[in-house]
Amino acid sequence: MKRKLEKLMQEKGITQYRLSKETGIPQSSISAWMNDICKPKADKLMILAEYFGVHIDYFLSVTQKEEQKRNRKEEKR
């Protein structure tokens, strides 16, 4: 999530503060997502998808690299 959101923000040339103001999503939530503390819920993903003009699947799809990382973490458990 972090990389995808970071990429979209960079492409649009906006900060977390501006994203917060323009979407109504608290900056603390955006910061938590960017620091991988938590993941956004579906309602917030819809707001982000609409704001950036992408389909919600953009945020929900897992890249191959992310899947490999997740599998390594599970193997260590």
Side-chain angles (χ1 to χ4, degrees), residues 14-77:
I14 61 168
T15 62
Q16 289 182 27
Y17 176 80
R18 183 168 164 201
L19 179 60
S20 172
K21 290 297 177 193
E22 294 183 1
T23 62
I25 298 172
Q27 190 172 356
S28 59
S29 296
I30 297 168
S31 179
W33 304 335
M34 298 295 284
N35 289 305
D36 286 328
I37 294 170
C38 63
K39 305 278 186 228
K41 293 184 180 178
D43 62 328
K44 300 299 188 252
L45 287 176
M46 289 297 295
I47 292 169
L48 292 172
E50 186 176 312
Y51 178 79
F52 286 111
V54 298
H55 195 278
I56 193 168
D57 287 343
Y58 175 81
F59 294 110
L60 298 174
S61 65
V62 178
T63 64
Q64 185 177 17
K65 195 175 205 178
E66 290 169 330
E67 184 67 30
Q68 289 171 347
K69 187 177 179 180
R70 183 183 302 155
N71 288 339
R72 282 194 298 269
K73 282 183 180 179
E74 289 175 3
E75 288 173 0
K76 290 180 181 180
R77 293 182 191 179

Side-chain angles (χ1 to χ4, degrees), residues 3-14 52 54 58:
R3 287 190 179 132
K4 292 176 182 182
L5 186 55
E6 215 168 46
K7 180 182 179 211
L8 291 171
M9 289 173 60
Q10 187 175 43
E11 287 174 0
K12 198 162 181 142
I14 61 168
F52 286 111
V54 298
Y58 175 81

